[in-house]
Amino acid sequence: MSKEAYRSMWEGLGLDPKAHDALLDVLGKAYQDIYLAQAQRPDGMGYFDFVMSEVHGLRIKELMDEKAAGKKVVGSFCVFVPEEIVRAVDATLVGLCTGADFAMEEVEKLLPRNTCALIKSAFGFKAGQVCPYLESADMIVGENTCDGKKKSYEVLDGLVPNLYVMDLPQTKSPEGRQLLSAEYARFKKAMEDLSGVTLDEERLRKGIEIVNNKRKAIHRLAGLRKHDPAAISGLDALLINQVFFYDDPVRYTESVHKICDELEQRNEKGEGVFPKGTPRILLSGCPMAVPNWKLPWIIESSGAVIVGEESCVGERGTRNLTKDSGDSVEALMDALVERAFQIDCAIFTPNPDRLHHIEDMAREYKADGVIHYGLQFCQPYITESMPVEKALEDADIPTLRIETDYSMEDVGQLKTRIEAFVEQLQ
Ligand code: BJ8
């Protein structure tokens, strides 16, 4: 990506040129060292490399063109924000950058130091004026999930022009479902007001179809990762899951199917990126947004391969499809609620489904072990990591609990622990 070609667009969005250049340089270098240095990558990754090389360039230009044509851009931090509704009013939903530390000094003037890195990252990208997605969004949707997020939105409200906060249930009770249903109805109205488009059955059905197709493509990719030897690295599969939140959905779906065709052939021929018998890891826990690649990179450079992600940037976020059999807007809205209500985020109490899903995934993907990833100061996932470890060990599935953040300070220590864990699996 030539920076000069997009300079005026970035300035128009109010980005800080120096800080933004510095971010792109760090990102480019990390991508080179972590992604492009991998051996035997499928050719289909070329598309995703291109997307990443243009993640602040061409994709932003596309969004700006959509805006010039009167369409809206909506930013979100959580898989509970229903993309189907956003699509149905011809708007675009983008996931906001939460995967790297930036402008931490500024952030710690706004939020307590012991806030998780994911939340701090969102604030850092805003405080540093380096995220073109955040700056191009006509509306930013926050959600009352964990305490850290919900309190931080009170602060974010003073920093961005159009913050919308969605309330979310904390229990899987009939009352919780009712709350989600009412909040999705309120969100539908907010999207109609923002876009000037009235949502009807046909539009909503189309929105559901587009997003379901993305999920089906991801399901196909996940299925192909069950094979030994692994035809794709966990790092590359994670990247595909991360791009899910940024790219044009139809083009994305086609590109995932294209790489799946190639992986199918690799599986038929028994070709892998790692030798057959390489220890297989299921990663479980907090979501990993771009460019949070630290832990997968350590795992895969320690002699193991990641074969699945029990995460919102992974199977937790895409597990179920929305039923499109309803014959009215109300019935389709109900189907959206039904699907989302099954997401087993650790903010729910109690949350037994997640435990079962982790065990099921470990078996399905033939994982030799599970690495549970908790971000420091993330109460919901770190608290759940303990019963998860116990349940998995009771089921004879070796488990390693990791607590970390986005800094590189603990890389050496993590590598030592992970290498020892992988050795135990061999
Ligand atoms: S549905 S996982 S995307 S809330 S890491 S900010 S939980 S303290 S991200 Fe999430 Fe929606 Fe749930 Fe998924 Fe809080 Fe933990 Fe930080 Fe977290």
Side-chain angles (χ1 to χ4, degrees), residues 225-352:
R225 295 172 71 195
K226 292 175 185 166
H227 197 263
D228 185 18
I232 185 169
S233 68
L235 271 166
D236 278 337
L238 172 65
L239 188 78
I240 297 173
N241 275 286
Q242 290 174 330
V243 170
F244 183 97
F245 296 92
Y246 297 90
D247 200 7
D248 172 82
V250 175
R251 185 176 60 206
Y252 172 85
T253 301
E254 282 166 12
S255 307
V256 177
H257 279 300
K258 209 162 155 210
I259 197 169
C260 284
D261 292 341
E262 191 185 344
L263 299 183
E264 228 160 54
Q265 286 179 12
R266 281 189 167 198
N267 283 353
E268 274 164 25
K269 290 188 206 148
E271 286 173 6
V273 278
F274 297 91
K276 194 173 165 58
T278 297
R280 299 165 66 84
I281 300 289
L282 175 74
L283 206 50
S284 167
C286 293
M288 289 178 172
V290 170
N292 178 9
W293 305 310
K294 178 172 92 172
L295 189 60
W297 168 64
I298 297 174
I299 295 171
E300 294 202 329
S301 57
S302 299
V305 56
I306 299 163
V307 293
E309 299 78 22
E310 189 280 319
S311 157
C312 284
V313 182
E315 197 152 323
R316 190 188 314 126
T318 52
R319 181 173 286 120
N320 300 303
L321 299 178
T322 303
K323 286 207 180 83
D324 58 0
S325 52
D327 56 2
S328 63
V329 170
E330 293 68 31
L332 294 173
M333 286 291 291
D334 202 51
L336 293 181
V337 174
E338 186 60 36
R339 191 199 85 85
F341 205 55
Q342 296 173 58
I343 298 171
D344 48 2
C345 171
I347 61 128
F348 284 93
T349 179
N351 191 31

